[in-house]
Amino acid sequence: MRRIEDYARAMGRPAAALRLLGGEHADVVLDDATGLAWRFPRYDAPVAPLAERITLARAHGLPAPEVVEVRPGCLVTRLLPGVPLTPDTPLDPDAPAALLRRLAAVPAAGGTAWRAEWHELEAEVRRRVAPLLSPAARRRALAEAEKARQTADTAPIGFVHGDLGGANVLVEDGRITGILDWDGAGPGDPAVDYAALSVSAPEPARRRLAVHFPDLDARAQAYAATFALQEAVHGLLHDDREAVEAGLLSYC
């Protein structure tokens, strides 16, 4: 993550007026005075496709941030109200289910290439993660990656956000007021979003999800079992030691 002073110069703003948040895909600089978020992707990712996904989501009633400007190497959006979702956050129990329904209404253009990502995850777990584990932990990790890949191979396709962890879901007065980080949005298995929401949402909302989407639960469990492995693989690919350690913690 770069220093906030570097971003302040690029933005033409004093560093003292800004807040810097580091994410998996980008560094985000929050400017509360102007109500804007400046998103600087890591790994030289283009910003125009992300802006298109956000605009598509907003067109279908999803609480994605408004795109203000697309710059080379930077996406400027408006700040959204709310605090990150946690299991202790007051939340309308039906809000996550309503969110999944809105996602399901977005056209899932793009084919089935997303299934290959689960094949790649299994391969990376075998190649990079397995050698770091004890024999028992290695068998568990390989079995979980294989089950997720098999689940994806036969799953139905819908439009998914792809990373509905609590940090990307904003809540205010019991309502979901914002969804952040649309880098992974596109075709996929809706059970992936179900899985992420189930981890972060309060217990009443988790129970309502299971009632509204009983067909997603088993697939969601298969994907959720690989969340730590995904973090470890990301860390190994991008030389992020903290991500590696966090991802491997439950296997040690």
Side-chain angles (χ1 to χ4, degrees):
M1 187 168 67
R2 291 169 60 189
R3 297 182 310 141
I4 195 168
E5 288 78 10
D6 298 328
Y7 291 123
R9 283 192 291 270
M11 298 164 59
R13 295 280 292 157
L18 307 174
R19 293 184 288 139
L20 175 60
L21 301 178
E24 180 177 331
H25 302 289
D27 291 338
V28 180
V29 182
L30 306 182
D31 188 344
D32 296 302
T34 63
L36 298 177
W38 297 64
R39 193 177 190 284
F40 297 89
R42 297 181 179 181
Y43 324 121
D44 298 320
V47 298
L50 173 59
E52 293 173 0
R53 289 193 289 272
I54 291 174
T55 301
L56 175 65
R58 283 180 58 84
H60 286 80
L62 287 154
E66 178 187 351
V67 174
V68 175
E69 187 177 358
V70 179
R71 297 187 175 193
C74 177
L75 181 66
V76 185
T77 62
R78 297 204 185 279
L79 292 175
L80 291 170
V83 297
L85 176 65
T86 73
D88 298 320
T89 305
L91 179 67
D92 177 351
D94 287 319
L99 175 61
L100 289 186
R101 290 195 184 94
R102 286 183 192 156
L103 285 163
V106 182
T112 61
W114 61 274
R115 299 189 202 275
E117 297 177 5
W118 293 98
H119 287 253
E120 292 168 8
L121 175 66
E122 182 183 19
E124 293 294 350
V125 169
R126 188 175 303 278
R127 181 184 304 117
R128 300 176 188 273
V129 177
L132 305 177
L133 302 176
S134 68
R138 184 182 310 130
R139 288 191 295 272
R140 173 188 156 199
L142 292 173
E144 289 170 342
E146 180 183 20
K147 184 173 182 180
R149 186 263 303 163
Q150 291 174 338
T151 300
D153 279 344
T154 59
I157 300 175
F159 182 86
V160 302
H161 175 274
D163 190 9
L164 282 181
N168 291 329
V169 181
L170 301 181
V171 176
E172 185 175 72
D173 296 329
R175 300 176 297 109
I176 294 177
T177 53
I179 303 296
L180 309 176
D181 197 357
W182 291 83
D183 291 83
D189 182 355
V192 171
D193 286 344
Y194 176 107
L197 282 172
S198 295
V199 170
S200 303
E203 178 60 29
R206 292 198 296 269
R207 291 198 301 267
R208 298 299 270 280
L209 279 173
V211 170
H212 287 293
F213 302 98
D215 57 316
L216 300 185
D217 191 66
R219 300 202 310 276
Q221 291 183 38
Y223 297 130
T226 69
F227 285 169
L229 293 174
Q230 293 179 45
E231 186 172 12
V233 167
H234 174 84
L236 290 166
L237 289 173
H238 298 290
D239 196 26
D240 185 338
R241 184 178 180 85
E242 288 186 7
V244 174
E245 292 177 351
L248 297 182
L249 184 61
S250 66
Y251 293 90
C252 296

